[in-house]
């Protein structure tokens, strides 16, 4: 039995010489979206040569959105529409929250803002992880036919920052923080590439976020779709935590004369430009 979810693949033990296998085994997966598909593929194990496909059970995670225990029998189907009676499989499934699978952003992003009345000028970005990235390094020995070595690059008004490379994965976990000077009207661009030996970067996908999306100055945690060329399908998802606040260390204080609340000599003709 091979179980797959979002590129993660796990296998059960082999039950020899039986048409009524009893596994009684547990498996755990990172599961985030209701549109993900949990797949159980049954094979007849051969000592020599490839194992023979027997059938499949496919269940959308939306079936488990109420977080309760689901225990039931499911029909095993073949690859063809008429192959509908290939046995039944009893499964117990529960979708829940596990603290070990949740990455908290840095404390500075979660604390109360000290200067809420001053214009925001600092964008903190916590790059959490990615999912469903495409295979750019083909390898027939891998469960998904290959892997990628993804890294993220951030661009905002002339500033640029780059993450570490996560090697041989389609579901990278970065957990890395970046800090930028950022002002109204600017846009954050995030680009994901596959890193190859010699430093070559193969484009995977990108997305853009307007700073106005963070104008409430609260912590924003969201998944973003990676897009490639115009009209191309989504090429994965990336989870970001962002917060836009005021950092006095990034502000430029004005000379006292420029910053006067009530300019002197308002009733006289101006003759000095600062």
């Amino acid at each position: 039995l091979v179980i797959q979810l979002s590129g993660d693949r796990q296998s059960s033990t082999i039950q020899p010489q039986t048409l009524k296998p009893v596994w009684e085994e547990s498996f755990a997966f990172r599961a985030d979206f209701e549109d993900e598909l949990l797949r159980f593929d049954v094979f007849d194990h051969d000592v020599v040569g490839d194992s023979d496909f027997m059938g499949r059970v496919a269940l959308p995670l939306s079936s488990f959105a109420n977080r309760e225990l689901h225990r039931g029998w499911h029909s095993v189907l073949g690859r063809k529409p008429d192959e509908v009676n290939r046995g039944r499989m009893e499964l117990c499934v529960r979708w829940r929250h596990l603290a070990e699978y949740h990455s908290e952003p840095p404390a500075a992003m979660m604390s109360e803002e000290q200067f809420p009345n001053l214009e925001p000028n600092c964008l903190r970005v916590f790059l959490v992880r990615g999912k469903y990235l495409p295979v750019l390094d083909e390898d027939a020995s891998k469960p998904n036919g290959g892997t990628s070595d993804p890294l993220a690059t951030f661009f905002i008004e002339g500033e640029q920052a780059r993450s570490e490379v996560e090697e041989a994965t389609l579901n990278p976990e970065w957990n890395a923080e970046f800090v930028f000077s950022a002002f109204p009207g600017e846009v954050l661009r995030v680009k994901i590439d596959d890193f190859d030996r010699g430093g070559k970067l193969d484009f995977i996908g990108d997305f853009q976020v307007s700073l106005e999306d963070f104008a409430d100055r609260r912590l924003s945690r969201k998944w973003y779709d990676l897009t490639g060329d115009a009209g191309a399908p989504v090429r994965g998802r990336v989870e970001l935590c962002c917060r836009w606040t005021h950092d006095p260390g990034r502000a430029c204080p004005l000379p006292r004369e420029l910053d006067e609340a009530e300019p002197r000599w308002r009733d006289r003709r101006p003759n000095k430009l600062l």
Side-chain angles (χ1 to χ4, degrees), residues 89-101:
M89 183 186 302
E90 186 181 20
L91 300 170
C92 296
V93 182
R94 190 172 191 180
W95 192 17
R96 50 165 291 192
H97 178 85
L98 186 64
E100 288 83 351
Y101 284 0

Side-chain angles (χ1 to χ4, degrees), residues 123-127 152 154 161-164 176-180:
L123 179 67
R124 292 183 178 273
V125 178
F126 184 60
L127 174 63
F154 297 87
R162 181 171 290 174
S163 74
E164 297 292 331
E177 182 185 17
F178 304 87
V179 183
F180 304 93

Side-chain angles (χ1 to χ4, degrees), residues 17-189:
Q17 299 181 350
T18 179
L19 299 179
K20 298 180 178 180
V22 178
W23 285 287
E24 295 184 340
E25 299 176 35
S26 297
F27 306 87
F29 294 86
R30 295 285 293 262
D32 299 284
F33 311 108
E34 291 190 5
D35 61 359
E36 292 184 78
L37 195 65
L38 180 62
R39 199 172 76 189
F40 301 82
D41 289 346
V42 186
F43 294 89
D44 173 44
H45 177 71
D46 292 331
V47 177
V48 179
D50 296 332
S51 297
D52 299 317
F53 177 78
M54 299 178 67
R56 170 178 298 164
V57 174
L59 305 172
L61 288 195
S62 58
S63 304
F64 316 113
N66 62 7
R67 302 195 181 197
E68 296 178 359
L69 174 65
H70 292 255
R71 180 171 184 166
W73 287 89
H74 301 269
S75 296
V76 179
L77 307 178
R79 289 195 174 101
K80 299 179 180 179
D82 59 338
E83 296 176 334
V84 296
N85 188 19
R86 313 209 83 188
R88 292 175 65 80
M89 183 186 302
E90 186 181 20
L91 300 170
C92 296
V93 182
R94 190 172 191 180
W95 192 17
R96 50 165 291 192
H97 178 85
L98 186 64
E100 288 83 351
Y101 284 0
H102 181 77
S103 299
E104 290 287 356
M109 297 183 68
M110 303 175 66
S111 59
E112 183 177 355
E113 186 178 357
Q114 296 182 354
F115 306 96
N117 297 321
L118 298 179
E119 183 178 84
N121 62 0
C122 177
L123 179 67
R124 292 183 178 273
V125 178
F126 184 60
L127 174 63
V128 187
R129 55 197 176 103
K131 293 193 76 170
Y132 309 135
L133 300 189
V135 172
L136 267 70
D137 301 326
E138 295 183 359
D139 184 344
S141 67
K142 300 292 184 181
N144 297 294
T147 63
S148 289
D149 302 309
L151 64 83
T153 307
F154 297 87
F155 305 88
I156 183 167
E157 293 300 320
E159 281 195 70
Q160 179 176 325
R162 181 171 290 174
S163 74
E164 297 292 331
V165 177
E166 293 294 307
E167 297 182 352
T169 179
L170 303 180
N171 298 304
E173 296 185 30
W174 286 286
N175 293 318
E177 182 185 17
F178 304 87
V179 183
F180 304 93
S181 294
F183 302 93
E186 296 181 351
V187 173
L188 174 69
R189 179 186 175 220

Side-chain angles (χ1 to χ4, degrees), residues 220-259:
S220 168
R221 185 167 191 152
K222 184 177 177 180
W223 286 91
Y224 295 90
D225 289 342
L226 284 172
T227 56
D229 298 330
V234 173
R235 308 199 75 195
R237 291 172 173 168
V238 172
E239 185 181 19
L240 290 184
C241 295
C242 299
R243 193 175 185 189
W244 191 26
T245 60
H246 179 84
D247 178 2
R250 293 174 181 266
C252 297
L254 295 175
R256 181 179 300 177
E257 190 175 358
L258 269 176
D259 201 29

